[in-house]
Amino acid sequence: MIYRETLIDPWEHFWSFIGAFVGIFIIAYIQSLHLPSMENIFLIGSFGASSVLVYGAIQSPLAQPRNLIGGHVVSAIAGVTVAQLLPDIIWLTAPFAVALSIVCMQHTRTLHPPGGATALIAVSSGTKISSMGYWYVLSPVLSGCLILFLVALIFNNITKNRHYPVKKSRLRRSRRQHLKTRFDRTKSPSNL
């Protein structure tokens, strides 16, 4: 048997490379224009992991726009909140931020694995990011996610074989069915 991932067209690899390169390039370029080389704030590590999903595994429910943007933002809020409320004890704040971010992403249906890293960065990256407070959520997190998303919209839709976001995913179907069932229950005569 041949593993399904090995059957991907080489052009898929090419577009994954180009998309990831351009997405991270834009974020890194903005970083280099506005911040000294020693202050690596705008280019956070979790964006690299997000690039793997949104350019290399575009069919994954975890790579969809809601998950990309929502997962990072929810996790950033969780991480900053932990950093603000708990004392600066890394063995306490690090696991609490990651665990809280997972539960928050699950609750909001925005699970995106790199979000755990976004929360961890909020509590473990030293004084520059911790001094940003909730501004960390807007920049670098939200602004970086929007850049990755816009680049993904362009490069993941160039060919007829790549479609982003996925229109007929199992997750969307499940959500639509859940909403329809809920709506039907509220309109049934027994509820009136």
Side-chain angles (χ1 to χ4, degrees), residues 82-83 86-98 119-120 123-124:
V82 168
L86 295 178
D88 191 17
I89 304 170
I90 195 68
W91 56 264
L92 178 62
T93 57
F96 194 72
V98 173
L120 185 61
V123 297
S124 67

Side-chain angles (χ1 to χ4, degrees), residues 27 31-32 34-47 121 125-132 135-136 139-141 143:
I27 295 171
Q31 162 86 26
S32 71
H34 297 292
L35 298 167
S37 60
M38 296 304 290
E39 292 183 9
N40 192 14
I41 296 171
F42 197 67
L43 186 63
I44 59 174
S46 54
F47 290 158
I121 290 166
S125 289
T127 58
K128 189 63 177 174
I129 287 183
S130 64
S131 68
M132 294 173 74
W135 285 109
Y136 170 74
S139 180
V141 175
S143 56

Side-chain angles (χ1 to χ4, degrees), residues 9-163:
D9 180 0
W11 282 106
E12 292 291 312
H13 298 288
F14 173 77
W15 290 114
S16 294
F17 174 86
I18 295 298
F21 184 89
V22 171
I24 296 297
F25 170 83
I26 292 170
I27 295 171
Y29 185 69
I30 292 170
Q31 162 86 26
S32 71
L33 287 178
H34 297 292
L35 298 167
S37 60
M38 296 304 290
E39 292 183 9
N40 192 14
I41 296 171
F42 197 67
L43 186 63
I44 59 174
S46 54
F47 290 158
S50 290
S51 294
V52 172
L53 288 169
V54 298
Y55 305 116
I58 64 176
Q59 302 295 321
S60 170
L62 303 175
Q64 300 312 301
R66 174 188 176 108
N67 298 71
L68 168 68
I69 297 167
H72 275 291
V73 169
V74 165
S75 296
I77 292 169
V80 171
T81 301
V82 168
Q84 299 280 328
L85 296 177
L86 295 178
D88 191 17
I89 304 170
I90 195 68
W91 56 264
L92 178 62
T93 57
F96 194 72
V98 173
L100 181 62
S101 74
I102 291 170
V103 171
C104 290
M105 287 188 289
Q106 287 173 328
H107 183 70
T108 59
R109 299 176 63 114
T110 58
L111 193 63
H112 186 67
T118 299
L120 185 61
I121 290 166
V123 297
S124 67
S125 289
T127 58
K128 189 63 177 174
I129 287 183
S130 64
S131 68
M132 294 173 74
Y134 287 100
W135 285 109
Y136 170 74
V137 177
L138 296 177
S139 180
V141 175
L142 179 60
S143 56
C145 288
L146 291 175
I147 291 168
L148 293 176
F149 170 66
L150 292 173
V151 171
L153 281 179
I154 295 167
F155 289 100
N156 289 340
N157 291 302
I158 285 181
T159 68
K160 63 180 179 161
N161 298 329
R162 292 173 68 91
H163 303 286

